[in-house]
Amino acid sequence: MTTPRKRILIAIDWYLPGFRGGGPITSIANLVDALGDEYDFLIVTSDTDQGESKPYLEIPTDRWVESGPHCSVWYCSAEGRGYRHFRKLLGETEYDLLYLNSMFSLRFTIFPLWSSRAAKPEVPVLLAPRGMLHAGALSLKPLKKKIFLRIIRLMGIDKHLIFQATDAQEVLDIKGIFGEDTKVLQASNLPRMHQPPFQSLDKQSGTLRMVFLSRLTEKKGLHFLLELLQTQTADIHLDIIGPDTEQGYWQRCLALIAQLPKNVTVNKQDGLPPQAAFEKLVTAHCFVMPTLGENFGHAIFESFLAGRPVLISDQTPWQGLENQLIGFDIQLEDHAGFRAAIDRLAAMDQVEWELWAKSSWRFAEAYLDRGNLAKESEFMLNAALES
């Protein structure tokens, strides 16, 4: 007799075909792609992309829509995102695990959590904070987040949760807030599992093409990069690719762009779908993001996949990059270190840059060849299901 397939209900603010919501969309899309043969996935999400008010074209709302052999998506309309709607939906839907993908979402964390506890209290709940409990992330709008976390603890909600951590640091972040007895399962985010062939790019000493590929928020550090570029003397071109999702932030960056020297040029594009964003990475010599904190950083790994070194802060899991000739991870307080890294990248000629570029490509190849990435996520889901 065949064992029934387990059904994982995933709540996430934004999902495909959206892309402006960044890494969480990628994480879940890759999870479904990797483990669709093992589980049935039910995804509850918005009918719009992040920052958009118009629903996706030609996608029905407030009903299940097939999205592959073992995945269905419920696109909530604006009217269908209230607690009453979640209570009805989760009460009528059969699922074996609720998987939440934000720490601070009212509509796609708190409402589904309350609904599930009321309708199916025996169903385990797995919550992925997605780096939101990192010290750098908590430093932004701290009062609101402290109140939110305090309410969760006072209500005892955290006692009913299993947390996903993507690395050892996130385990510490979670237990530092909710206590040592908190149940935490560790599994890395799943990257894109298919790597295109290496593509080279002309590189002359004294020139540098950089790409910043991320949502435009203070956390991602575009303003910091623009301040660093004020004193650069090399010919630098910066492509900024990402949606403006934080009120007033892009205006702040525009003021810094206006102060850049003539040898530094900037081009701005809105967010791009995953494949178009990857193709843009290939047109640059390096990826740059001085972030306040990432629990994985899909754009960072995409740069390695494309064979491009990175310039990032030390607040990500990607460490010791210079020794591997795949980039630089620098403390945010070390402005001189960031400037020196930009100088180093700009000074590279074709031979040196291509050495670093191929090292980056091979690093991603070796990471994918580990072979246990999907197994980590499968183990995590099975352990949560058995809780």
Side-chain angles (χ1 to χ4, degrees), residues 64-76:
W64 290 112
V65 178
E66 258 192 43
S67 178
H70 299 293
C71 180
S72 297
V73 183
W74 183 288
Y75 293 96
C76 298

Side-chain angles (χ1 to χ4, degrees), residues 33-91:
D33 184 53
L35 296 180
D37 290 338
E38 305 297 328
Y39 310 97
D40 288 330
F41 290 100
L42 306 170
I43 299 174
V44 181
T45 189
S46 304
D47 68 344
T48 60
D49 204 352
Q50 184 180 23
E52 299 287 346
S53 57
K54 293 183 179 179
Y56 301 120
L57 294 174
E58 300 179 0
I59 294 182
T61 60
D62 300 328
R63 73 181 216 195
W64 290 112
V65 178
E66 258 192 43
S67 178
H70 299 293
C71 180
S72 297
V73 183
W74 183 288
Y75 293 96
C76 298
S77 65
E79 296 77 22
R81 298 174 204 165
Y83 174 71
R84 180 172 58 86
H85 295 278
F86 276 103
R87 178 74 179 267
K88 183 174 186 294
L89 174 60
L90 270 65

Side-chain angles (χ1 to χ4, degrees), residues 23-317:
I25 296 175
T26 305
S27 295
I28 295 303
N30 290 344
L31 180 76
V32 171
D33 184 53
L35 296 180
D37 290 338
E38 305 297 328
Y39 310 97
D40 288 330
F41 290 100
L42 306 170
I43 299 174
V44 181
T45 189
S46 304
D47 68 344
T48 60
D49 204 352
Q50 184 180 23
E52 299 287 346
S53 57
K54 293 183 179 179
Y56 301 120
L57 294 174
E58 300 179 0
I59 294 182
T61 60
D62 300 328
R63 73 181 216 195
W64 290 112
V65 178
E66 258 192 43
S67 178
H70 299 293
C71 180
S72 297
V73 183
W74 183 288
Y75 293 96
C76 298
S77 65
E79 296 77 22
R81 298 174 204 165
Y83 174 71
R84 180 172 58 86
H85 295 278
F86 276 103
R87 178 74 179 267
K88 183 174 186 294
L89 174 60
L90 270 65
E92 295 174 349
T93 304
E94 293 299 321
Y95 57 96
D96 301 291
L97 174 68
L98 175 62
Y99 185 16
L100 306 171
N101 284 273
S102 173
M103 191 68 243
F104 299 110
S105 173
L106 175 64
R107 298 185 184 280
F108 289 93
T109 297
I110 298 301
F111 285 175
L113 176 58
W114 284 349
S115 300
S116 186
R117 291 294 302 161
K120 294 182 171 66
E122 76 285 357
V123 172
V125 181
L126 177 65
L127 189 151
R130 300 293 174 203
M132 296 178 189
L133 298 180
H134 188 281
L138 289 176
S139 69
L140 302 172
K141 300 179 181 178
L143 181 59
K144 174 183 174 182
K145 293 174 181 177
K146 284 179 181 177
I147 292 172
F148 195 97
L149 292 172
R150 182 168 176 78
I151 290 172
I152 286 177
R153 289 195 299 270
L154 286 173
M155 295 181 68
I157 294 173
D158 54 310
K159 305 304 180 187
H160 302 288
L161 298 175
I162 308 156
F163 287 87
Q164 176 190 357
T166 55
D167 60 14
Q169 180 58 54
E170 193 164 29
V171 173
L172 295 175
D173 293 339
I174 293 167
K175 293 196 171 187
I177 290 172
F178 295 108
E180 283 297 319
D181 294 334
T182 304
K183 185 163 186 179
V184 183
L185 300 173
Q186 187 173 330
S188 300
N189 285 337
L190 285 172
R192 180 207 300 245
M193 302 300 289
H194 311 291
Q195 184 177 28
F198 176 76
Q199 297 181 52
S200 188
L201 183 68
D202 289 339
K203 177 69 171 74
Q204 296 180 4
S205 180
T207 66
L208 183 64
R209 295 188 62 88
M210 313 174 82
V211 61
F212 176 95
L213 178 60
S214 178
R215 290 175 293 119
L216 304 187
T217 66
E218 185 172 0
K219 177 190 173 186
K220 304 297 184 178
L222 176 59
H223 64 287
F224 180 83
L225 171 62
L226 293 170
E227 290 167 357
L228 293 172
L229 293 178
Q230 304 288 336
T231 58
Q232 294 301 313
T233 57
D235 289 331
I236 295 175
H237 178 78
L238 170 64
D239 280 309
I240 300 170
I241 302 168
D244 180 9
T245 59
E246 191 168 283
Q247 186 175 8
Y249 184 72
W250 176 237
Q251 284 69 33
R252 176 181 171 188
C253 292
L254 278 174
L256 291 168
I257 290 171
Q259 300 170 30
L260 290 171
K262 291 182 179 180
N263 55 292
V264 179
T265 58
V266 174
N267 181 60
K268 163 70 166 65
Q269 285 182 264
D270 199 1
L272 295 173
Q275 185 55 38
F278 185 86
E279 291 168 2
K280 197 69 180 179
L281 277 169
V282 178
T283 69
H285 296 120
C286 72
F287 168 83
V288 58
M289 186 174 67
T291 176
L292 284 173
E294 304 294 325
N295 71 325
F296 184 77
H298 282 284
I300 300 170
F301 189 76
E302 288 279 300
S303 185
F304 294 141
L305 276 176
R308 298 298 182 259
V310 305
L311 172 57
I312 58 177
S313 74
D314 65 346
Q315 298 299 302
T316 84

